[in-house]
Coordinates of all heavy atoms in Angstrom, one line a residue:
K359 N 39.7 221.2 18.6 CA 39.9 222.0 19.8 C 39.0 221.8 20.9 O 39.3 221.6 22.1 CB 39.9 223.6 19.5 CG 41.1 224.0 18.5 CD 41.0 225.5 18.2 CE 41.3 226.3 19.3 NZ 41.3 227.8 18.8
A360 N 37.6 221.7 20.5 CA 36.6 221.5 21.5 C 36.7 220.1 22.1 O 36.5 220.0 23.4 CB 35.2 221.7 20.8
T361 N 36.9 219.2 21.3 CA 37.0 217.7 21.9 C 38.2 217.6 22.8 O 38.0 217.0 23.9 CB 37.1 216.8 20.7 OG1 35.9 217.0 19.9 CG2 37.0 215.4 21.3
V362 N 39.4 218.1 22.4 CA 40.5 218.0 23.2 C 40.4 218.8 24.6 O 40.6 218.3 25.6 CB 41.8 218.6 22.5 CG1 42.9 218.7 23.5 CG2 42.1 217.6 21.4
H363 N 39.7 219.9 24.6 CA 39.4 220.7 25.8 C 38.5 219.9 26.6 O 38.6 219.8 27.8 CB 38.8 222.0 25.4 CG 38.7 222.9 26.7 ND1 37.5 223.0 27.3 CD2 39.6 223.6 27.4 CE1 37.6 223.9 28.3 NE2 38.8 224.2 28.4
D364 N 37.4 219.3 26.0 CA 36.5 218.5 26.8 C 37.1 217.3 27.5 O 36.9 216.9 28.6 CB 35.3 218.1 25.9 CG 34.4 219.2 25.6 OD1 34.4 220.3 26.2 OD2 33.6 219.0 24.6
C365 N 38.0 216.7 26.8 CA 38.7 215.4 27.2 C 39.8 215.7 28.3 O 40.0 214.9 29.3 CB 39.2 214.7 26.1 SG 37.9 213.9 25.0
F366 N 40.6 216.7 28.0 CA 41.8 216.9 28.7 C 41.9 218.3 29.5 O 42.9 218.5 30.2 CB 43.0 216.7 27.8 CG 43.1 215.4 27.1 CD1 42.9 215.3 25.8 CD2 43.3 214.2 27.9 CE1 42.8 214.1 25.2 CE2 43.3 213.0 27.2 CZ 43.0 212.9 25.9
G367 N 41.0 219.3 29.1 CA 41.1 220.6 29.7 C 42.2 221.4 29.1 O 42.6 222.5 29.6
V368 N 42.7 220.9 27.9 CA 43.8 221.7 27.2 C 43.3 222.5 26.1 O 42.5 222.0 25.3 CB 44.9 220.6 26.7 CG1 46.0 221.3 25.9 CG2 45.5 219.8 27.8
I369 N 43.7 223.8 26.0 CA 43.4 224.6 24.9 C 44.4 224.6 23.9 O 45.6 225.0 24.1 CB 43.2 226.1 25.4 CG1 42.1 226.1 26.5 CG2 42.9 227.0 24.3 CD1 42.0 227.6 27.1
L370 N 44.1 223.9 22.7 CA 45.0 223.8 21.6 C 45.1 225.2 20.9 O 44.1 225.9 20.7 CB 44.6 222.8 20.6 CG 44.7 221.3 21.0 CD1 44.1 220.4 20.0 CD2 46.1 221.0 21.4
R371 N 46.3 225.6 20.6 CA 46.5 226.8 19.8 C 46.9 226.6 18.4 O 47.9 225.8 18.2 CB 47.5 227.7 20.5 CG 46.9 228.2 21.9 CD 48.1 228.8 22.8 NE 47.6 229.6 23.9 CZ 47.3 228.9 25.0 NH1 47.6 227.6 25.2 NH2 46.8 229.6 26.1
E372 N 46.4 227.2 17.5 CA 46.7 227.0 16.0 C 48.1 227.4 15.8 O 48.6 228.5 16.2 CB 45.8 227.7 15.1 CG 44.4 227.0 15.0 CD 43.4 227.7 15.9 OE1 43.7 228.0 17.0 OE2 42.2 228.0 15.4

Side-chain angles (χ1 to χ4, degrees):
K359 292 178 68 173
T361 304
V362 166
H363 185 259
D364 289 345
C365 291
F366 304 108
V368 177
I369 299 174
L370 290 177
R371 294 172 170 83
E372 286 97 319

